[in-house]
Amino acid sequence: MLAFAYICACGADSSPAYNFLNITSSPKIYGLGGVNISSTDAGLLATEQNPALLGQEHSTRLALSYMRYISDSNFASIAYSHSVSERGAWAASLHYFGYGEIDRTDASGVSMGTFSPKDLAISGLYSHDFTERLRGGFAIKALYSAYDSYTAFALGVDLGLNYYDAERDLSLSAVAVNLGGQIKRFNESYDRLPVDLRLGWTQSFPGFPVRFSITAWNLTKWNLPYYHTGDGTIDDKPELKSSFASNLLRHLIFGADIIPSDKFYISLGYNYKTRTDMSTYNRNLLSGWSLGAGLDIGTWGVGLAFAQPHTGATTLMVSLSAGISDLIGK
């Protein structure tokens, strides 16, 4: 149940039913704070963040990822891409979110066995280079959820733009995500998709082997209050926080890549919203921080990421990618 609590906390500003869509399958993105729409070298799995990050550089690329998440949750993804003519590319991906076994009880609390809730997202992406620096893309997502005897189906669309200046190593992006809605509901109530508008900046500077990123998200709503839990004593009650500074920081995710070479990276991210959503009176210095590392030699690549969003939860992600045409050619 801790996994459900975290997913709901991540999307406390909207319906929690589809907030698994905010969980990345890319170790580099996870290492950069969990959301990043402007990292142009993050690989095929990062195109879920922004379809405009997809390009011919990902042609015939296959990528797999696995994440051991909070509690007994296990997430897995697979993606493949191919080029189209001289300016386009398409990709297809499958994302599975399993939350382990949960006890099933009746209204009086009598055990009736267990069930295993799960979510599934199937996506098709397309991108097109308008100019040498400007690229646009879109993704269509089919979303299926099964929680015990309740099921739901939804369709969503992501629209993205990316501007990349190779000479300055400057990337600017804008994305509208999760446009759409439910086709089949769990029950009579309607669950909204977590519609969001996001802006991103990524850039390195001459002579300094670090690439910086700032991502602004949840831009459809300014007010993102949270409760400060206090010190855990009876007299110290939770306090609602909604100052200008806290709202601003809860809209921003900060990331940095150490890039000693074009084949290896170490990423560090800070997500203030994760830290405040998951805070407890028993402080966790690692909450909100994430760390990743990866190696990509072209023919194949591997990525790792680590975070501890809650004092009782350690998360680990691993990915593998390969150039199918390169492997066949060899």
Side-chain angles (χ1 to χ4, degrees):
M1 291 301 293
L2 183 58
F4 276 137
Y6 177 58
I7 292 173
C8 291
C10 284
D13 334 303
S14 60
S15 168
Y18 293 97
N19 278 289
F20 63 88
L21 295 172
N22 290 327
I23 301 175
T24 182
S25 62
S26 164
K28 184 164 188 179
I29 300 300
Y30 197 55
L32 288 171
V35 179
N36 186 299
I37 65 170
S38 52
S39 182
T40 57
D41 64 345
L44 177 58
L45 292 170
T47 60
E48 65 178 14
Q49 298 280 304
N50 179 1
L53 296 179
L54 177 66
Q56 295 206 340
E57 63 272 20
H58 300 114
S59 186
T60 66
R61 196 80 177 175
L62 178 68
L64 307 167
S65 74
Y66 168 78
M67 186 179 193
R68 179 66 175 179
Y69 205 55
I70 295 173
S71 188
D72 294 325
S73 299
N74 293 276
F75 303 157
S77 299
I78 181 171
Y80 177 78
S81 175
H82 203 286
S83 60
V84 179
S85 68
E86 296 181 355
R87 290 181 173 267
W90 65 264
S93 64
L94 173 66
H95 306 286
Y96 169 82
F97 304 83
Y99 309 107
E101 289 190 348
I102 295 178
D103 292 332
R104 181 193 296 112
T105 60
D106 62 15
S108 61
V110 176
S111 177
M112 301 178 63
T114 63
F115 68 99
S116 300
K118 60 183 68 68
D119 292 301
L120 191 68
I122 302 174
S123 302
L125 299 81
Y126 178 79
S127 70
H128 185 81
D129 293 337
F130 300 119
T131 69
E132 291 184 356
R133 296 183 178 180
L134 183 64
R135 177 184 291 168
F138 67 88
I140 299 175
K141 301 180 289 190
L143 312 171
Y144 173 78
S145 300
Y147 304 158
D148 198 9
S149 60
Y150 300 92
T151 61
F153 182 75
L155 289 176
V157 175
D158 297 346
L159 303 173
L161 287 173
N162 175 255
Y163 172 86
Y164 179 63
D165 184 342
E167 294 181 0
R168 300 167 60 192
D169 195 23
L170 168 66
S171 175
L172 300 172
S173 289
V175 181
V177 300
N178 303 321
L179 307 173
Q182 278 188 315
I183 296 176
K184 181 183 182 300
R185 306 179 184 183
F186 286 109
N187 46 40
E188 294 182 358
S189 64
Y190 178 79
D191 293 308
R192 295 180 295 112
L193 297 184
V195 176
D196 194 12
L197 176 64
R198 300 170 182 176
L199 301 174
W201 165 81
T202 297
Q203 187 173 9
S204 65
F205 299 93
F208 195 54
V210 179
R211 183 180 292 117
F212 299 96
S213 292
I214 299 177
T215 304
W217 68 321
N218 289 306
L219 296 182
T220 58
K221 183 179 181 180
W222 166 253
N223 194 33
L224 299 176
Y226 72 97
Y227 278 95
H228 182 268
T229 53
D231 60 10
T233 62
I234 297 178
D235 295 332
D236 193 1
K237 297 181 179 180
E239 179 184 357
L240 184 66
K241 298 286 187 179
S242 187
S243 66
F244 175 84
S246 69
N247 276 304
L248 177 62
L249 288 174
R250 280 167 64 80
H251 283 284
L252 300 177
I253 298 174
F254 303 92
D257 285 318
I258 303 173
I259 40 176
S261 75
D262 58 357
K263 294 182 175 60
F264 177 73
Y265 73 87
I266 298 174
S267 59
L268 178 68
Y270 181 69
N271 187 326
Y272 182 74
K273 189 175 187 299
T274 295
R275 181 171 181 82
T276 50
D277 281 342
M278 299 300 290
S279 65
T280 65
Y281 66 86
N282 185 17
R283 297 299 179 194
N284 174 21
L285 294 177
L286 296 180
S287 181
W289 293 93
S290 54
L291 180 67
L295 176 68
D296 192 336
I297 63 172
T299 305
W300 59 269
V302 60
L304 296 169
F306 164 87
Q308 192 179 57
H310 189 273
T311 53
T314 298
T315 61
L316 181 66
M317 179 185 291
V318 59
S319 73
L320 295 171
S321 64
I324 301 301
S325 60
D326 293 335
L327 292 176
I328 294 176
K330 293 186 177 183

